[in-house]
Amino acid sequence: MHLSTHTWMRPEPLEVTLKRASSLGYKSIELAGEPSQYAIDETQALLKKYSLYCWGTVTTMYGSRDLAAADQAQREATVGYMKSVVDLAAALGGEIITVVPCTVGKLQPSASEREEWEWVVRGVREVASHAAKKGIRVAIEPLNRFETYLITNTSQALQLVDEANMPNVGVAFDTFHLSIEEPDMIAALRRCGDKVFDVHLGENNRLSPGDGSLDWPLIVQTLREIGYDGALAHEAMPPIDRTSRGAFGSKQLEPEPWDVDEGALQFLKDHASGVLREDYYTGMIARTAETILPLIK
């Protein structure tokens, strides 16, 4: 296993992200699924400069991106988007793509449950077929009930894996989401077994590992037991203290206005966050390294 990090939590030049990660002992990156932001040659050069590699990519499901949309054209566009995220991972030598099937924050169906499930199964199968041709595995990520109504635990994710019926489809195991949704997160991890294709790191309170109540030695030990040997990707997203105690958010957030793409900014806001201060964010990345690296060396 090795330490990796996502990029979506703080909009910044990729070189800033890579330089920080490399200096703290990270080995790879899991890029936000925005192919237009990453010129392949330039990204490869930066990865080489900082001795990192691309572990994979993750779909950023905001706006109209939704495999369960009632509108067929919207579903087809979402499949096309996901295929482009697969292509980004493949072009950079990645191994996986994490897929969230529905728009993050969508909490009610827009069609019958049976229809939506069939659309999601069909969409995942089509994306996985495309990914298989490029040597990419597809990891389905359950989110907690406050961010989605569809695929909120590992049993549901494994059902989707089974019905998609593609050998390159598995599960992205996010410790934050699943600490909420699983009655026994360790048992869920064992149940997923060799279908764990990716692991996202966040505490029960979505802070960095070590700043909550999760048992990280046990989690890492269980990952070893099931034979997982991939990335452990930092994906902490802190709640913002907007009271006077937190200086009304200024201890964590950069001053506004934020020069950030509208869709990416909305995605952050939908996570009750914003553009984190660089020193604060660096501290979070460092805390994850401090907690996890001794367990995997």
Side-chain angles (χ1 to χ4, degrees):
M1 287 178 280
H2 71 274
L3 200 53
S4 184
T5 183
H6 288 263
T7 62
W8 68 265
M9 297 89 69
R10 186 177 193 274
E12 61 187 5
L14 181 60
E15 184 161 12
V16 174
T17 303
L18 299 182
K19 183 177 181 180
R20 179 195 299 114
S22 179
S23 71
L24 292 170
Y26 287 70
K27 299 298 182 186
S28 77
I29 203 84
E30 190 164 340
L31 291 171
E34 301 297 340
S36 65
Q37 294 181 8
Y38 303 107
I40 300 302
D41 291 346
E42 179 182 335
T43 302
Q44 288 175 327
L46 286 173
L47 288 167
K48 183 177 181 180
K49 179 178 179 179
Y50 292 103
S51 300
L52 295 167
Y53 66 95
C54 177
W55 165 247
T57 53
V58 57
T59 59
T60 47
M61 300 298 288
Y62 59 78
S64 61
R65 296 166 180 172
D66 186 1
L67 288 180
D71 181 72
Q72 181 178 347
Q74 188 178 344
R75 296 196 304 273
E76 291 174 351
T78 301
V79 169
Y81 159 71
M82 289 180 173
K83 288 179 178 180
S84 74
V85 178
V86 168
D87 293 344
L88 175 63
L92 292 171
E95 298 182 30
I96 62 99
I97 170 180
T98 295
V99 167
V100 174
C102 303
T103 309
V104 175
K106 177 186 174 186
L107 299 178
Q108 293 292 329
S110 53
S112 75
E113 285 80 356
R114 181 181 296 275
E115 285 176 312
E116 288 201 341
W117 181 254
E118 290 175 354
W119 292 334
V120 167
V121 171
R122 192 179 308 138
V124 167
R125 187 181 296 132
E126 184 174 346
V127 172
S129 178
H130 178 75
K133 297 170 186 174
K134 295 176 177 288
I136 299 293
R137 294 177 294 156
V138 175
I140 305 299
E141 181 178 7
L143 304 184
N144 72 76
R145 71 192 75 179
F146 306 110
E147 295 186 36
T148 189
Y149 64 96
L150 192 64
I151 314 296
T152 61
N153 59 51
T154 54
S155 295
Q156 294 167 354
L158 288 170
Q159 184 68 26
L160 179 53
V161 169
D162 183 61
E163 293 190 34
N165 195 28
M166 296 285 294
N168 64 325
V169 179
V171 175
F173 199 99
D174 185 302
T175 54
F176 163 68
H177 293 298
L178 296 174
S179 71
I180 296 172
E181 297 300 338
E182 295 290 350
D184 185 336
M185 189 173 68
I186 297 302
L189 190 54
R190 292 190 175 113
R191 186 166 59 249
C192 290
D194 63 4
K195 280 299 181 180
V196 175
F197 285 0
D198 193 19
V199 176
H200 298 171
L201 304 180
E203 273 286 2
N204 63 296
N205 51 14
R206 212 165 197 180
L207 294 177
S208 297
D211 288 337
S213 62
L214 297 185
D215 187 339
W216 293 102
L218 179 58
I219 291 169
V220 171
Q221 175 188 327
T222 306
L223 286 167
R224 284 201 176 96
E225 289 173 3
I226 65 172
Y228 183 74
D229 193 32
L232 305 178
H234 169 94
E235 198 184 20
M237 175 52 69
I240 303 302
D241 186 350
R242 292 180 167 88
T243 69
S244 58
R245 181 178 179 275
F248 309 105
S250 65
K251 290 185 177 181
Q252 295 168 284
L253 296 174
E254 294 282 7
E256 296 191 55
W258 298 320
D259 184 18
V260 179
D261 171 77
E262 183 178 345
L265 181 58
Q266 189 60 50
F267 194 63
L268 292 173
K269 288 181 176 180
D270 287 346
H271 285 81
S273 189
V275 179
L276 298 173
R277 284 175 43 160
E278 185 170 2
D279 59 341
Y280 180 81
Y281 186 69
T282 297
M284 294 184 68
I285 297 283
R287 180 61 167 147
T288 293
E290 174 188 305
T291 301
I292 299 300
L293 283 177
L295 301 176
I296 61 176
K297 284 184 176 177

